[in-house]
């Protein structure tokens, strides 16, 4: 495998190829990302793993938290935890496959896949539905603390009511995936109706430059040839 990174010597490059060469081919066989994009993603992943010591094999979750903070300016631990839980059930580490899967999710235009991911993240009780309490908790983040607490409470209550009326299509008191998907399919901009989950175009641009994902650079720069 060609040495893609000047900070990795030939010995490390050979080790990288031995560790991830098979996985790169496996992912590339079904992924819409290019082989080069996948390789660049795993090269970054490998550097994080190396930082954990010579015997380390996977990225630690606290490292991933830092990535969220730096790339996406997201410090909400619950958002990070729920996002990772939707990709991997491992409670301590982020596997190389999970790492690639998450970035593929962040670059896909597949609305169905984005909806399934978003709903799983928002379903904080893991019941398969989102209830009024969960919506209310999410709405608390939409309004900053101010002097008039009564007004804030009223605004949050109004927003909760509005969201429930909008998304509880069958009027059974909860928002099912069917409710959610029927609304978002008509209005895709509402996929993140309970808060940030996907990088903005600017964040994707930063992510593309940091990780050297060529296809994303082309996406972010419409004039790219």
């Amino acid at each position: 495998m060609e040495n893609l990174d000047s900070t990795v010597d030939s010995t490390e490059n050979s080790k990288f190829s031995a560790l991830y060469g098979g996985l790169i081919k496996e992912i590339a066989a079904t992924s819409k990302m290019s082989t080069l994009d996948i390789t660049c993603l795993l090269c970054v992943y490998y550097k994080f793993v190396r930082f954990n010591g010579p015997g380390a094999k996977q990225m630690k979750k606290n490292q991933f938290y830092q990535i969220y903070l730096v790339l996406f300016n997201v410090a909400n631990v619950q958002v990070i935890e729920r996002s990772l839980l939707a990709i991997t059930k491992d409670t301590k580490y982020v596997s190389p496959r999970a790492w690639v899967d998450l970035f593929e999710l962040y670059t896909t235009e597949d609305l169905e896949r984005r909806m399934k991911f978003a709903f799983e993240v928002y379903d904080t009780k893991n019941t398969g539905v989102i209830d009024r309490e969960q919506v209310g908790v999410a709405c608390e983040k939409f309004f900053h603390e101010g002097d008039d607490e009564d007004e804030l409470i009223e605004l949050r209550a109004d927003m909760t009511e509005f969201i429930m009326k909008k998304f509880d299509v069958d009027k059974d008191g909860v928002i099912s995936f069917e409710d959610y998907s029927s609304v978002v399919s008509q209005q895709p901009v509402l996929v993140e109706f309970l808060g940030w989950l996907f990088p903005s175009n600017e964040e994707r641009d930063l992510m593309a430059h940091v990780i050297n994902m060529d296809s994303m650079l082309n996406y972010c720069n419409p004039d790219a040839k």
Side-chain angles (χ1 to χ4, degrees):
M1 183 181 293
E2 181 183 353
N3 194 335
L4 296 175
D5 193 323
S6 60
T7 66
V8 178
D9 62 28
S10 58
T11 300
E12 287 291 345
N13 187 67
S14 297
K15 185 177 179 180
F16 171 81
S17 299
L19 286 171
Y20 301 112
L23 180 60
I24 290 170
K25 291 179 180 178
E26 179 184 329
I27 296 174
T30 57
S31 175
K32 291 186 178 180
M33 290 194 297
S34 70
T35 299
L36 178 59
D37 286 345
I38 297 166
T39 303
C40 288
L41 272 171
L42 287 174
C43 186
V44 173
Y45 179 89
Y46 178 56
K47 289 183 178 182
F48 277 101
V49 174
R50 282 198 309 163
F51 184 80
N52 295 330
K57 295 183 178 180
Q58 296 189 89
M59 177 189 289
K60 294 180 179 179
K61 278 196 172 180
N62 65 332
Q63 292 175 306
F64 204 83
Y65 294 162
Q66 293 302 313
I67 292 171
Y68 263 79
L69 182 60
V70 172
L71 282 183
F72 310 132
N73 197 30
V74 173
N76 187 316
V77 173
Q78 185 183 46
V79 169
I80 301 172
E81 285 280 0
R82 294 294 306 175
S83 295
L84 286 176
L85 189 62
I87 298 297
T88 175
K89 304 308 178 186
D90 195 325
T91 58
K92 293 184 178 180
Y93 298 99
V94 179
S95 71
R97 184 62 190 249
W99 167 262
V100 174
D101 284 348
L102 189 61
F103 279 92
E104 184 171 24
L105 178 69
Y106 282 168
T107 59
T108 186
E109 299 302 321
D110 185 339
L111 182 60
E112 181 71 17
R113 186 175 179 187
R114 289 162 68 90
M115 287 192 297
K116 287 180 178 178
F117 171 78
F119 192 85
E120 185 171 351
V121 173
Y122 293 145
D123 176 19
T124 56
K125 295 181 180 179
N126 300 317
T127 58
V129 296
I130 299 169
D131 60 27
R132 181 178 290 272
E133 180 186 6
Q134 289 166 287
V135 173
V137 170
C139 286
E140 291 180 4
K141 302 191 295 287
F142 297 155
F143 302 97
H144 299 291
E145 295 295 332
D147 295 331
D148 193 338
E149 183 63 24
D150 290 338
E151 183 178 358
L152 283 175
I153 292 173
E154 184 176 351
L155 286 170
R156 290 165 182 162
D158 289 345
M159 177 63 79
T160 299
E161 183 64 25
F162 173 80
I163 290 175
M164 290 301 298
K165 284 184 177 180
K166 176 75 174 178
F167 283 89
D168 181 14
V169 177
D170 58 9
K171 307 305 177 187
D172 63 351
V174 294
I175 301 170
S176 65
F177 179 75
E178 289 71 22
D179 292 334
Y180 167 74
S181 60
S182 68
V183 173
V184 177
S185 294
Q186 297 298 317
Q187 297 176 273
V189 70
L190 296 178
V191 66
E192 298 174 274
F193 80 120
L194 291 183
W196 184 97
L197 286 181
F198 300 103
S200 65
N201 285 344
E202 291 77 14
E203 289 164 338
R204 286 172 62 148
D205 191 21
L206 173 61
M207 186 170 70
H209 282 89
V210 168
I211 301 176
N212 193 30
M213 293 178 69
D214 183 64
S215 64
M216 279 189 65
L217 289 170
N218 290 337
Y219 169 86
C220 296
N221 179 10
D223 297 325
K225 302 298 183 182

